[in-house]
Amino acid sequence: MWTTKTFLTKTKRGNVLKIVREHYLRDDLLCGSAACNVCPHKDDELVLDANPESICGLFDYNHYLVLDTNVVLHQIDVLEEDALKNVIILQTVLEEVKHQNTAIFQRLLEIIGNKKRNFYSFVNEHHKDTYVERKPGEKQNDRNDRAIRKAASWYASHLSIKNMAERFPQIVLLSDDENNRKLAQEEGIVACSVKDYIENVNGYAGLTDKLSKNVIPESCSKDALYPAHLTPTQIHAGIRNGKLHQGTFHASRDNFLEGNVTVTGYEKSILLQGHIGINRAIDGDIVAIEIFPQEEWRQPSDIVLEDKAEDPGDFLEEESQLLNTKKTVANDDICPTGKVVGIIRRKWRQYCGILMPSKFPGATRHLFTPAEKRIPRVRIETRQSDILASQRILVALDSWPRNSRYPLGHFVRSLGPIGDKNAENEVILLEHDVPHARFSEAVLACLPPDDWTIPEEEIKKRVDLRSICVCSVDPPGCTDIDDALHARRVGDRYEVGVHIADVTHFVRPHSALDREAAARATTVYLVDKRIDMVPDLLSSNLCSLRGGEERLAFSCVWEMDENANVLSTKFHKSVIKSRAAMTYEEAQIAIDTTSRNDEVATSLRTLNALAKKLKQRRLDNGALLLASPEIRFQVDSETHEPLEVQAKRILDTNSMVEEFMLLANVSVAERVAADYPQSALLRRHPAPPPANFHTFLKAARRQGFELDVSTNKSFSKSLNEAVIPERPFFNTLLRIMATRCMQQAVYFSSGSKTQEEYYHYGLACPIYTHFTSPIRRYADVVVHRLLAGALGADATHAALLDARAAQALCDNLNYRHRQAQLAGRASVALNTHILFKNREEIESAVVLAVKRNALQVLIPKYGLEGPLYLPSDKFLYNEEENIQICNDIILKTFDELTVRLTLDSTNLQHRKLVFQLVTPFIPGVSYEKEKADDDKMDVEIVEPKTNVKKRKEVSEPKKKKKSKK
Amino acid sequence: MPGPDLLSSQGLRLDGRRPNELRRIRCKLGVFTQPDGSAYLEQGNTKVLAAVYGPHQASKSKSSVEGVVVNCQYSMATFSTGERKNRPRGDRKSQEMSLHLRQALTAAIKTELYPRSQIDIYIEVLQADGGAYCASVNAATLALVDAGVPLRAYACACSASMAWRGAEPAPLLDVGHVEEAAGGVVLTVASLPSTGNIALLELSHRLHSDYFEIVLSRAMQGCRDIEIILDRAVREHLAEGWTKQDIVTI
């Protein structure tokens, strides 16, 4: 059945160690070709076509392609195009790629997994005829090349066996390694370089643009602009003897010739300046640096420096002019300074940006400006510059040779026209690393059929709550309803139930769907788009607790007394049938309409009454009521253009739902933490360090309020007391600013922290988790599984108990949540910009903070925030008092102003809102307009509009306040 | 969770085996003349020598009227692993191994036939590449056969571990050192396959009960496969032995 052979390898691991590994060679591995007459293929194992049509002008016969490792590593963008088909990926190549670059490896697997592409991975290393042993003294690379050639020639001869017809496919080896090609040709294998092959491909325009221009960076010593990097061995030796240091390079946002590296052993991060100092490092790279002697240390320049617009060609500017080189003596600002001497690991990704076409018509070399300011411009080659100039494009970096001022890259794909809604959204998603590709076939295969109904046996296993009057309350337009509630009187007590969509019934552990959801971690809400965590069928149909439909749920049912004290808690899986899916508004009306006495209305009234008691108790315990300026857009139903923006309204019913969700989360957290002391997924909110409050307290003191921030309870109390009756917005403003002082709440695994550290500062509860939104958060999915395992309600699986895996999961969840939040904000900013295009407004604003050269102002009406720049020649900044003074006008925090809002579109990639001062009037600074507008400038706070427009309000992200906590 | 890395996308393990395949087993009976029975067994790169003395009269302190006392001694050669290390006899690890061996072998031997006697079994691991316990049990069984000690059945040991191919659980049979080191759970089973009895069961880490059944059944399958191999080796050895003796008598 199998043949065996053992082989020896020698590896060095500190001291020389001889490692002996078995290596089995098999005779039952298939070639995967439909043209083969030898291998006992089953139908589904045939991957390669019998008659692969040639698309390349160089080869007029049928052929399969065998790729060398360097082709996969450098030209993955070409491979991802649909052009090349019938490709054999050898295991040797697969392993080398995996070893060198996991990201590319994943992309390669994705291609192999795509049935339409006919990529076959052949296990040549374990095939008895294609295995090659490493010769004594032979380099690993040379052996692998030999293995690739051997497999190629084996394929050629294998396919010719018993193939009478002359039409059987030939083999073409693609390699960028000249030496390998030469040797292949000597052995009678047809070999070709990728460049030659792709340039002769017919019918796929634009394929050549994706060719990577890979130059070995250190080879071009002629006309070198940059000093050479050290070799890995030199770097290793340098780090070991302490001459060099390793760290991650962070480019400065404001000055393209500056960056810093955080190094262990130095308190301050190391400053790097100038082209030579940075020496081709790109933001995020792990670099080796040399630190200069102390007398050469400098201070970071405080000027803003942007790369010039035109392509200056390959020379470096005189840096002394660009950089602030003057050396200040004995200054606190002086940083340890150094220079990059080598790159340990590139952390390049693909970058979004726009093309700056060359001034010469017909030129193919152009510059590309990334949207991220920290990334240098990239030189790319394309023939489609006319089309691409008006588009947002995605570019991958290839290399940065010594003789090139800019890194070299290649065009990957176009995202759409600049300013187009979809293209801009795509940019936001890509720049925030939000996985947003369509769900793969494997994921969709995990879904139940569209017309799935609850099978009878499933109902038998669950508690049947279909007869109970359950209803859901959500924001308008919400399609992923993951929670529903009920309350009823039982004797002198109340029975209250929270029913959460049973997502884990469909998302089974270890399935492709589960892995995809875990990777996405959360649904991302943009203003006009939602990027689902689970496919639409689940999120807005089978899992969504829609009104009048039978749905599976995970229920948490309490018994409560009159005062909302929990007497007992039950968890169970259930079947429910929601009576009504209401909006907050509708629920509020149902409660307020005293004439309504139906089941739903009574249930809601009970819930509302209990929620108020719960809330009071929570606040008494020291929970903070924080505020953040959340805004909502009214979006045109046709064009998806934002029409109007206003601050969010909070109704009683919002807080009603929130209270019960909090209670459910706390109940579940207690249960899972007790059952899984090592691996429960919980959420904590650390208390903010006192230093965070410093400026906030100072500002409040000037308004006459002494806030006590020692505990959350005292803080909450003093916030409640800080009210100015004639300024109703003042308290909200305080709370908004208090929110800024807080730390982020994070997920963690119960084993990684001590019991005291579980505390949730904002909610003032000793333990907390997320249970109530499994459709849009993966954390809740995990908690559902944990709870189901604890109850024996569902099959458990081993990963639930793995503390290490749980922590890794938490790290990913935290990262994705942060990115999702940032993406959401970026989307709001984008829509604000679209809204203020060709429009100006004069609005009242409040000063949130005073900076050296600007005021941070908030416009309560829109919840917009931004800097109002003050010219330094007119204003005097008082650091002590934190105020800006201009003659007799003093601007300080909490001041009310009127400002004018316009959009500055001079920089297409970084459009921003411009705030200009209107009142108090300062000549030469304030914006002046014709006198007619004077009476408009009232300093009264405009309350958020309450009239709901008839326009359809699409896509209000269902983001409850609790998700912020 | 042991990563999906243990199985490639083509369903092959790191060394090229499929999940349900044993390593190559080669064995020989009667490798020494001094002991009453001896055997040498290779399971992949794990190589083990076993020698059996007895049954002989037990020392007074150990003697039992119930049946024969099985005395095992397990030791590893200094050169058995990649890093050379002096391994004192009777350290905790080898003591534990000795006890486990004794448990499995006592189950196989018809102990009641020899009251007040003792059988000494010496195991020396020459090269360790994972699954040393399994190889030791299998080698000791052969040595006992060679010594002519009556057995209830062959005692065979085999290990199994857990891996996933995509979402499908695929338990791995006969775990090698590389796979052990990857951090997965290893279930070791010593059983008498022809009777279906389990003599010893050991788990290296916690394994979720959902997977226990499939891992155990895979390990049991391995024991049955090993029994066939051992049986064939015994038969070949006996056939060989007869012809040799014939030559001597002629």
Side-chain angles (χ1 to χ4, degrees):
Chain A
M1 189 178 161
W2 36 265
T3 50
T4 67
K5 242 182 200 177
T6 54
F7 83 129
L8 313 174
T9 28
K10 248 186 189 173
T11 37
K12 283 174 190 159
R13 201 188 287 160
N15 37 5
V16 179
L17 200 66
K18 184 172 166 189
I19 289 181
V20 185
R21 280 195 190 149
E22 288 170 277
H23 193 89
Y24 290 84
L25 300 183
R26 318 183 62 98
D27 54 10
D28 61 347
L29 297 172
L30 311 173
C31 70
S33 164
C36 163
N37 297 324
V38 189
C39 298
H41 287 113
K42 290 187 199 111
D43 279 345
D44 59 332
E45 288 163 341
L46 293 171
V47 177
L48 303 167
D49 289 337
N51 268 316
E53 259 174 53
S54 174
I55 54 162
C56 176
L58 292 179
F59 306 96
D60 54 354
Y61 45 81
N62 296 340
H63 59 268
Y64 296 142
L65 290 172
V66 174
L67 304 183
D68 194 354
T69 315
N70 48 37
V71 176
V72 178
L73 282 176
H74 300 140
Q75 310 292 2
I76 187 77
D77 287 322
V78 174
L79 296 179
E80 275 180 344
E81 284 296 292
D82 269 337
L84 299 186
K85 284 185 176 173
N86 292 301
V87 176
I88 297 162
I89 303 286
L90 302 173
Q91 194 200 3
T92 317
V93 174
L94 210 54
E95 269 169 24
E96 271 191 294
V97 171
K98 183 179 176 186
H99 195 68
Q100 295 195 17
N101 191 327
T102 36
I104 292 182
F105 178 67
Q106 288 304 331
R107 290 163 72 185
L108 182 61
L109 287 187
E110 194 78 359
I111 302 173
I112 294 173
N114 184 350
K115 292 246 159 39
K116 288 183 202 123
R117 299 294 309 276
N118 303 38
F119 271 55
Y120 182 69
S121 70
F122 176 64
V123 196
N124 65 320
E125 291 287 352
H126 289 286
H127 194 283
K128 69 178 168 51
D129 296 325
T130 55
Y131 174 68
V132 292
E133 207 158 332
R134 191 166 157 189
K135 287 180 191 155
E138 190 180 26
K139 280 193 184 142
Q140 185 66 37
N141 253 336
D142 296 340
R143 189 215 82 102
N144 289 344
D145 285 350
R146 197 152 59 85
I148 292 167
R149 293 198 300 272
K150 172 112 178 177
S153 60
W154 175 82
Y155 253 102
S157 64
H158 176 78
L159 293 174
S160 67
I161 298 173
K162 293 192 203 156
N163 242 335
M164 295 305 155
E166 274 187 21
R167 292 182 31 244
F168 64 85
Q170 306 291 315
I171 296 294
V172 173
L173 174 68
L174 287 191
S175 175
D176 276 345
D177 180 354
E178 209 173 316
N179 201 24
N180 196 13
R181 283 205 302 270
K182 213 174 86 202
L183 286 168
Q185 261 141 11
E186 280 168 21
E187 289 168 26
I189 306 163
V190 185
C192 173
S193 80
V194 182
K195 198 158 173 273
D196 294 346
Y197 191 91
I198 297 298
E199 280 175 355
N200 289 295
V201 162
N202 310 319
Y204 290 91
L207 199 61
T208 42
D209 283 359
K210 307 214 164 178
L211 273 176
S212 163
K213 282 149 278 299
N214 186 56
V215 186
I216 301 160
E218 302 312 307
S219 64
C220 332
S221 48
K222 215 179 123 200
D223 312 323
L225 295 171
Y226 295 97
H229 287 149
L230 300 181
T231 63
T233 25
Q234 283 171 312
I235 292 174
H236 193 71
I239 289 174
R240 213 184 243 181
N241 64 26
K243 275 187 189 149
L244 303 180
H245 300 269
Q246 176 180 345
T248 308
F249 175 70
H250 300 286
S252 156
R253 211 178 262 280
D254 303 322
N255 186 339
F256 77 104
L257 285 176
E258 206 170 80
N260 62 65
V261 173
T262 317
V263 166
T264 47
Y266 283 83
E267 212 168 278
K268 281 185 175 176
S269 52
I270 312 299
L271 177 73
L272 307 170
Q273 286 185 319
H275 284 295
I276 305 297
I278 294 172
N279 196 358
R280 293 172 282 157
I282 291 176
D283 189 64
D285 288 348
I286 298 172
V287 296
I289 57 165
E290 185 188 309
I291 297 174
F292 295 140
Q294 199 153 359
E295 53 272 20
E296 289 176 41
W297 288 7
R298 304 220 184 119
Q299 78 182 103
S301 65
D302 46 12
I303 52 169
V304 175
L305 208 54
E306 265 186 64
D307 209 350
K308 285 207 199 88
E310 63 272 15
D311 186 351
D314 284 329
F315 67 89
L316 303 180
E317 303 91 339
E318 271 304 308
E319 281 163 16
S320 47
Q321 295 169 5
L322 298 173
L323 279 172
N324 178 9
T325 48
K326 68 164 190 279
K327 218 178 85 182
T328 20
V329 189
N331 191 327
D332 284 350
D333 290 341
I334 283 192
C335 286
T337 310
K339 64 170 183 186
V340 172
V341 294
I343 307 282
I344 296 170
R345 191 169 204 136
R346 291 287 196 191
K347 284 280 167 77
W348 292 349
R349 56 183 177 96
Q350 296 180 337
Y351 301 97
C352 302
I354 50 178
L355 191 72
M356 302 196 308
S358 168
K359 275 175 289 187
F360 312 103
T364 54
R365 289 175 23 124
H366 307 276
L367 269 186
F368 160 83
T369 313
E372 171 65 64
K373 284 183 187 167
R374 282 185 275 213
I375 307 298
R377 294 176 180 191
V378 182
R379 185 165 284 153
I380 66 170
E381 230 169 280
T382 176
R383 295 201 183 89
Q384 331 167 46
S385 62
D386 307 342
I387 312 163
L388 297 183
S390 61
Q391 307 219 314
R392 290 263 184 189
I393 59 172
L394 195 63
V395 159
L397 290 182
D398 299 328
S399 61
W400 196 340
R402 285 177 64 195
N403 60 3
S404 165
R405 185 184 186 282
Y406 296 108
L408 305 182
H410 65 270
F411 165 70
V412 177
R413 67 188 162 98
S414 161
L415 305 172
I418 296 173
D420 176 65
K421 210 63 195 307
N422 288 330
E424 302 294 334
N425 276 341
E426 183 92 7
V427 170
I428 290 176
L429 295 174
L430 284 168
E431 287 296 312
H432 292 93
D433 190 19
V434 174
H436 62 285
R438 280 196 300 126
F439 287 100
S440 67
E441 289 299 316
V443 171
L444 295 176
C446 301
L447 295 177
D450 286 0
D451 54 350
W452 184 88
T453 48
I454 306 171
E456 211 41 55
E457 59 266 30
E458 191 57 44
I459 295 179
K460 278 189 196 124
K461 277 192 256 171
R462 292 164 177 260
V463 179
D464 192 346
L465 299 180
R466 282 176 293 180
S467 56
I468 289 182
C469 172
V470 174
C471 59
S472 64
V473 183
D474 286 286
C478 171
T479 57
D480 48 354
I481 306 171
D482 38 21
D483 47 66
L485 298 155
H486 88 267
R488 60 175 180 175
R489 216 185 163 94
V490 180
D492 58 342
R493 291 173 175 174
Y494 292 104
E495 183 195 81
V496 180
V498 165
H499 312 277
I500 308 298
D502 191 9
V503 177
T504 51
H505 181 79
F506 301 99
V507 182
R508 304 310 297 171
H510 302 307
S511 64
L513 174 58
D514 179 48
R515 278 198 305 272
E516 182 68 31
R520 294 188 177 212
T522 173
T523 294
V524 180
Y525 295 93
L526 303 185
V527 170
D528 54 348
K529 199 175 177 186
R530 189 178 80 194
I531 294 90
D532 282 326
M533 183 181 80
V534 292
D536 196 51
L537 175 65
L538 293 182
S539 63
S540 24
N541 186 358
L542 296 182
C543 287
S544 180
L545 305 175
R546 300 202 283 199
E549 297 196 42
E550 289 183 11
R551 288 285 179 260
L552 299 178
F554 206 150
S555 302
C556 173
V557 180
W558 302 280
E559 219 182 321
M560 285 185 183
D561 64 11
E562 293 280 344
N563 296 319
N565 290 314
V566 176
L567 302 171
S568 72
T569 312
K570 275 192 300 197
F571 306 102
H572 51 73
K573 296 232 170 174
S574 58
V575 193
I576 60 161
K577 189 170 175 183
S578 172
R579 294 290 184 279
M582 286 178 281
T583 63
Y584 290 123
E585 198 99 28
E586 286 166 11
Q588 191 65 50
I589 292 165
I591 292 173
D592 295 343
T593 318
T594 38
S595 55
R596 266 186 73 172
N597 273 318
D598 53 308
E599 231 183 331
V600 174
T602 3
S603 175
L604 282 174
R605 264 174 229 141
T606 317
L607 287 168
N608 202 23
L610 289 171
K612 286 200 170 130
K613 285 168 191 158
L614 282 172
K615 184 167 186 179
Q616 195 49 49
R617 179 132 23 94
R618 207 160 56 81
L619 293 179
D620 291 345
N621 281 338
L624 294 173
L625 267 185
L626 299 173
S628 53
E630 284 189 65
I631 54 176
R632 63 188 304 165
F633 287 91
Q634 286 183 358
V635 185
D636 190 298
S637 54
E638 302 282 308
T639 58
H640 289 278
E641 294 276 321
L643 296 168
E644 193 54 65
V645 57
Q646 54 182 246
K648 254 188 204 170
R649 287 179 62 210
I650 307 287
L651 294 170
D652 243 11
T653 39
N654 288 52
S655 102
M656 173 188 90
V657 173
E658 189 185 333
E659 281 314 313
F660 284 105
M661 294 308 135
L662 290 176
L663 187 62
N665 286 337
V666 171
S667 300
V668 172
E670 283 164 0
R671 178 68 198 256
V672 292
D675 278 42
Y676 302 90
Q678 288 301 310
S679 60
L681 193 150
L682 302 174
R683 191 164 172 85
R684 65 192 278 262
H685 183 205
N692 281 14
F693 287 116
H694 194 66
T695 44
F696 171 58
L697 290 180
K698 220 157 57 172
R701 200 169 297 142
R702 203 166 305 109
Q703 296 292 324
F705 293 105
E706 201 61 48
L707 299 175
D708 178 5
V709 295
S710 51
T711 65
N712 47 6
K713 197 168 177 177
S714 63
F715 187 28
S716 171
K717 189 157 168 271
S718 50
L719 269 180
N720 286 341
E721 286 160 2
V723 183
I724 302 177
E726 59 272 21
R727 288 178 67 182
F729 189 68
F730 176 73
N731 192 263
T732 317
L733 194 63
L734 263 187
R735 291 181 197 275
I736 289 172
M737 292 174 66
T739 316
R740 306 277 156 92
C741 305
M742 297 293 149
Q743 292 197 304
Q744 281 271 344
V746 288
Y747 294 109
F748 69 103
S749 138
S750 56
S752 66
K753 294 273 181 292
T754 62
Q755 198 95 37
E756 294 76 51
E757 289 175 303
Y758 291 5
Y759 192 72
H760 197 293
Y761 179 84
L763 297 173
C765 58
I767 190 162
Y768 190 67
T769 192
H770 272 161
F771 171 73
T772 52
S773 302
I775 300 179
R776 59 189 179 89
R777 286 189 306 231
Y778 190 73
D780 304 55
V781 172
V782 176
V783 172
H784 272 232
R785 286 190 187 137
L786 289 167
L787 185 63
L791 301 171
D794 196 354
T796 57
H797 62 106
L800 286 181
L801 293 172
D802 191 336
R804 221 170 354 147
Q807 194 52 50
L809 181 77
C810 290
D811 291 343
N812 184 45
L813 292 180
N814 289 329
Y815 170 70
R816 292 286 182 209
H817 275 268
R818 207 166 43 243
Q819 294 303 100
Q821 227 174 41
L822 294 177
R825 277 185 216 159
S827 174
V828 168
L830 169 69
N831 279 279
T832 317
H833 295 161
I834 295 176
L835 187 67
F836 280 93
K837 196 158 64 181
N838 312 322
R839 157 169 171 177
E840 61 165 88
E841 300 243 337
I842 293 181
E843 286 295 342
S844 56
V846 193
V847 179
L848 276 186
V850 181
K851 302 265 171 70
R852 186 176 289 276
N853 63 346
L855 301 172
Q856 190 76 8
V857 295
L858 173 81
I859 298 177
K861 181 179 171 191
Y862 295 129
L864 286 174
E865 195 189 322
L868 192 161
Y869 290 103
L870 302 173
S872 55
D873 53 335
K874 288 247 164 51
F875 278 90
L876 194 70
Y877 178 59
N878 185 332
E879 211 164 338
E880 199 84 329
E881 291 288 308
N882 208 18
I883 50 175
Q884 291 273 12
I885 307 163
C886 171
N887 301 331
D888 53 341
I889 298 172
I890 297 174
L891 294 177
K892 54 188 188 295
T893 318
F894 295 115
D895 275 359
E896 287 170 357
L897 321 164
T898 341
V899 296
R900 173 177 178 263
L901 269 174
T902 43
L903 186 69
D904 172 16
S905 308
T906 42
N907 184 343
L908 273 180
Q909 296 213 71
H910 302 284
R911 284 191 295 200
K912 52 183 183 253
L913 279 178
V914 179
F915 295 79
Q916 279 171 297
L917 192 62
V918 178
T919 50
F921 185 77
I922 296 165
V925 177
S926 295
Y927 171 75
E928 286 177 86
K929 223 188 160 189
E930 288 84 79
K931 52 189 168 26
D933 284 320
D934 277 4
D935 45 356
K936 256 192 181 175
M937 296 177 212
D938 44 350
V939 193
E940 182 202 335
I941 302 296
V942 184
E943 275 293 293
K945 282 184 191 168
T946 43
N947 57 322
V948 179
K949 292 203 174 166
K950 279 288 174 278
R951 280 252 166 63
K952 191 179 146 206
E953 290 180 36
V954 197
S955 74
E956 164 51 30
K958 185 182 170 183
K959 210 188 284 168
K960 288 173 196 148
K961 283 272 287 303
K962 62 183 188 262
S963 63
K964 293 264 171 184
K965 287 175 183 165
Chain B
M1 188 177 12
D5 295 327
L6 288 179
L7 271 181
S8 74
S9 49
Q10 295 91 0
L12 290 183
R13 291 156 73 170
L14 296 170
D15 53 9
R17 286 184 286 157
R18 294 200 190 277
N20 60 349
E21 286 172 354
L22 290 169
R23 288 179 284 178
R24 180 181 62 168
I25 296 182
R26 291 202 295 196
C27 51
K28 199 176 174 202
L29 283 79
V31 287
F32 299 128
T33 45
Q34 184 65 43
D36 296 310
S38 61
Y40 168 75
L41 183 127
E42 272 180 23
Q43 210 162 337
N45 276 332
T46 301
K47 300 177 182 183
V48 178
L49 271 177
V52 171
Y53 291 86
H56 56 82
Q57 192 176 10
S59 61
K60 269 193 193 134
S61 57
K62 283 183 184 164
S63 133
S64 150
V65 280
E66 301 286 305
V68 68
V69 174
V70 178
N71 182 27
C72 288
Q73 199 175 80
Y74 170 93
S75 65
M76 279 175 94
T78 327
F79 50 82
S80 60
T81 53
E83 229 167 331
R84 220 168 306 157
K85 196 152 86 178
N86 204 12
R87 295 168 194 280
R89 246 168 246 281
D91 62 340
R92 271 179 64 98
K93 199 180 145 207
S94 47
Q95 258 178 354
E96 187 191 342
M97 280 293 220
S98 303
L99 281 172
H100 286 172
L101 279 169
R102 178 163 154 194
Q103 187 183 335
L105 297 170
T106 315
I109 297 169
K110 293 195 164 184
T111 47
E112 68 278 6
L113 295 181
Y114 305 102
R116 282 193 271 288
S117 3
Q118 138 176 17
I119 298 176
D120 298 325
I121 304 170
Y122 298 91
I123 306 283
E124 181 78 18
V125 177
L126 302 178
Q127 198 173 321
D129 188 36
Y133 176 79
C134 305
S136 304
V137 171
N138 300 335
T141 305
L142 289 180
L144 285 169
V145 170
D146 187 41
V149 175
L151 301 180
R152 281 176 230 283
Y154 287 108
C156 302
C158 190
S159 60
S161 169
M162 196 57 204
W164 275 267
R165 185 182 180 189
E168 287 296 301
L172 306 178
L173 188 64
D174 194 10
V175 186
H177 174 69
V178 186
E179 288 162 340
E180 259 176 30
V185 191
V186 179
L187 174 78
T188 309
V189 179
S191 72
L192 313 179
S194 50
T195 65
N197 292 340
I198 292 175
L200 179 128
L201 196 67
E202 195 198 8
L203 261 176
S204 65
H205 301 82
R206 284 200 296 190
L207 172 68
H208 200 270
S209 58
D210 288 2
Y211 306 125
F212 182 74
E213 276 302 316
I214 50 171
V215 178
L216 179 64
S217 68
R218 172 126 307 168
M220 290 297 279
Q221 181 58 47
C223 289
R224 282 193 288 277
D225 293 347
I226 289 174
E227 186 187 34
I228 296 167
I229 295 169
L230 297 188
D231 188 57
R232 199 188 306 142
V234 168
R235 283 173 204 283
E236 266 169 31
H237 171 71
L238 290 176
E240 221 171 71
W242 283 120
T243 46
K244 253 184 209 161
Q245 216 157 32
D246 288 345
I247 297 162
V248 174
T249 42
I250 293 163

